[in-house]
Every structure is written in structure tokens, then in C-alpha cells.
Amino acid sequence: AACIYRFRCISRQLWWGHRIPVWYVGTDSEEEYIVARNEEEARTKAVEAGHPADVVLRQEDDVLDTWFSSGLWPFATVGWPQDENADDPNSDLARFYPGTCLETGYDILFFWVARMVMLGIELTGVSPFQVIYLHGLVRAADNTKMSKTKGNVVDPLDTVGEYGADSL
């Protein structure tokens, strides 16, 4: 049976986000590259590959796309990867990862939650949550999902203005 590979772009040309963990070897070529968690690891791999210790390494400027980057959220927000090997039990990573419960809408189970679990296990060795609580969705009058893009959302400030904050 033939294998069909479908490549997916994992990057965006944004000015914020998790930078792609790729370091190019040399000043202007992108032919040779090293994948590593940080520059220190990239330099070690470059030396092991026969490059001098002072080889120029340039990290890729692009950042991971939103869905890929959001999969890192449970541990990246508490100090990963910089605290990954720290023995400090008071580090945020040690204190707050893994979490206990994630509460989210069922519509993003495979888009976001599955990525968080897979990346959490792969990169930290531990699932980011013990429990995933899925809630229902508030729908528009025509039963479509409410969306700012569709313009069918309720502005909470309008609701408060008309009915008061207690009703919201």
C-alpha cells in the first residue's frame, strides 16, 4: 500500500509566539539545520556533527501556528522549557504542572485538547490533566455556533445594560 503524506504548515509569520526550535548552521544558508530545545542543545549537536564550537547558529524567525502553539500552553505558561530540568520544587513548572482539570467546550476536543495531551506526554512525560470536563455550547437562534466572525454573538455589555449584571 502506498503512503500518502500530507504536509501541514506549522508556522506563521507573526511577531509573537513560540519560535520554531530550528537553528540554521552558518550565516546565510538554510540547507543545514539542527532541531533542538534551546541554543545550548543546538550547539552541542552542531559540535557532535563536526562543526567548531564557535559555529554561527541562527534560530528560525517564524513561530508555530496557533493550534500547534496552543498545544504547548499547559506547560509553556509555567516555565517550560527553561525550567524543564530544574530540581527546584518551588518552580512554577514543578508546582503547577500537571494540572488537575481542564474545562472546555466539546467543539475543540480534537483541535486543542488532544494536542495539549499529546504534546504534554511527548515533551514532559506527563499528561497535562487528570480530568477533562466538557461543557455544552450556547447556540444562536438558528442553532449555529455563536461566533464573532458570524456576528451572531450577544455582547455582555448590552445584556448588563438592559437587564443588569446579576442576570448575566
Side-chain angles (χ1 to χ4, degrees):
C3 291
I4 298 174
Y5 294 97
R6 298 184 197 273
F7 293 98
R8 181 180 185 323
C9 180
I10 63 163
S11 69
R12 295 289 181 262
Q13 290 72 45
L14 300 173
W15 57 271
W16 60 271
H18 295 97
R19 287 177 74 186
I20 296 175
V22 168
W23 278 260
Y24 297 108
V25 178
T27 56
D28 55 2
S29 174
E30 294 186 358
E31 288 184 24
E32 186 177 2
Y33 59 89
I34 295 169
V35 177
R37 292 180 186 231
N38 53 49
E39 187 174 355
E40 180 182 351
E41 182 181 326
R43 187 159 306 282
T44 299
K45 288 181 174 185
V47 170
E48 289 172 356
H51 294 284
D54 63 347
V55 65
V56 174
L57 297 175
R58 296 174 296 109
Q59 187 174 4
E60 171 63 57
D61 289 326
D62 284 353
V63 297
L64 296 170
D65 86 327
T66 303
W67 287 113
F68 197 99
S69 187
S70 65
L72 303 174
W73 178 83
F75 43 95
T77 56
V78 291
W80 180 92
Q82 56 272 23
D83 292 341
E84 181 176 29
N85 297 317
D87 293 327
D88 181 6
N90 295 315
S91 73
D92 285 348
L93 185 62
R95 291 174 57 220
F96 299 112
Y97 187 84
T100 303
C101 179
L102 172 70
E103 183 271 334
T104 188
Y106 68 85
D107 60 325
I108 62 169
L109 180 63
F110 294 107
F111 295 111
W112 185 30
V113 179
R115 285 175 174 85
M116 288 191 289
V117 171
M118 288 185 288
L119 287 170
I121 292 169
E122 176 65 25
L123 298 172
T124 71
V126 180
S127 178
F129 319 106
Q130 295 173 7
V131 174
I132 299 169
Y133 178 78
L134 301 175
H135 62 71
L137 302 176
V138 177
R139 299 245 176 211
D142 63 355
N143 203 32
T144 60
K145 182 179 173 183
M146 287 192 166
S147 162
K148 289 184 281 185
T149 304
K150 292 179 183 178
N152 63 357
V153 296
V154 176
D155 186 336
L157 296 177
D158 292 343
T159 303
V160 169
E162 186 173 346
Y163 302 105
D166 290 343
S167 67
L168 192 60

